[in-house]
Amino acid sequence: GAVVSQHPSWVICKSGTSVKIECRSLDFQATTMFWYRQFPKQSLMLMATSNEGSKATYEQGVEKDKFLINHASLTLSTLTVTSAHPEDSSFYICSAPGKQRREQYFGPGTRLTVT
Amino acid sequence: AQKITQTQPGMFVQEKEAVTLDCTYDTSDPSYGLFWYKQPSSGEMIFLIYQGSYDQQNATEGRYSLNFQKARKSANLVISASQLGDSAMYFCAMSYNYGGSQGNLIFGKGTKLSVKP
């Protein structure tokens, strides 16, 4: 199956700093990528939809100025958490849909800890 | 609005026995897809099985089968011959379509499965 990578797999940053998470489709082109957030012992919640060449679409309650998404190419989407705070500590997972409906390729996730 | 409900926060099963994880869904869209994922402690989402709303037969993938009851809007996952490595969180999810494009998944709250030796 297709492969989606994420980098870094885990990151610790200080409160007030920014951190960038990369999501890459390694062997296919992804015009759309999805960013999910998962707090401990909870489910995955969609944060935003990243579209190549256009602005991202954010879910209600997600601050677009805090979570900057850039989808500059067909294989790369980035999520930048700006001015991170401890409450932003979470597991961030990206995914990209394939051509068939059963195809949803997930990255391995990035565990963010803000101290 | 689409919704996925998993009512079992935790389940225990004896090794080598079968276990059923429950999932019900709600949607007004006649075309949808249902997924089950396994999430071990590492966090990766491991695809287990998929069922399309128009599929006539229940999906099977090795030890996994999906008991799809469309009228009841349920999509239960059956794991046969449980193994210790099956201990993990299990999420039921539904694909959301908009404008005919492949959309994101909507997840249930998950069920934590523990396999006892």
Side-chain angles (χ1 to χ4, degrees), chain B residues 18-40:
Chain B
V19 63
T20 297
L21 306 184
D22 295 341
C23 173
T24 58
Y25 62 92
D26 190 17
T27 181
S28 57
D29 190 340
S31 177
Y32 51 89
L34 295 159
F35 300 74
W36 277 93
Y37 286 88
K38 171 184 178 181
Q39 188 180 44

Side-chain angles (χ1 to χ4, degrees), chain A residues 18-37:
Chain A
S18 296
V19 60
K20 180 187 285 187
I21 302 170
E22 293 185 348
C23 177
R24 291 183 185 272
S25 56
L26 297 185
D27 50 359
F28 68 104
Q29 294 181 334
T31 56
T32 299
M33 289 183 175
F34 302 111
W35 287 95
Y36 297 87
R37 180 168 55 184

Side-chain angles (χ1 to χ4, degrees), chain A residues 32 34 36 38 41-44 46 49 51 91 93 97-104 106-108 111, chain B residues 29 31-33 35 37 39 41-45 47 50 61 91 95 97-98 102-105 107-109:
Chain A
T32 299
F34 302 111
Y36 297 87
Q38 185 180 29
K41 300 187 187 302
Q42 294 189 24
S43 186
L44 282 76
L46 180 71
T49 300
N51 301 297
F91 192 58
I93 311 176
K99 291 182 179 180
Q100 297 185 29
R101 194 161 191 170
R102 64 180 289 128
E103 296 172 341
Q104 291 272 352
F106 281 87
R111 201 167 298 278
Chain B
D29 190 340
S31 177
Y32 51 89
F35 300 74
Y37 286 88
Q39 188 180 44
S41 57
S42 63
E44 62 179 316
M45 297 296 286
F47 168 78
Y50 169 84
E61 297 274 357
F91 289 100
S95 57
N97 269 8
Y98 48 88
Q102 180 92 296
N104 58 280
L105 296 184
F107 289 87
K109 292 186 176 182

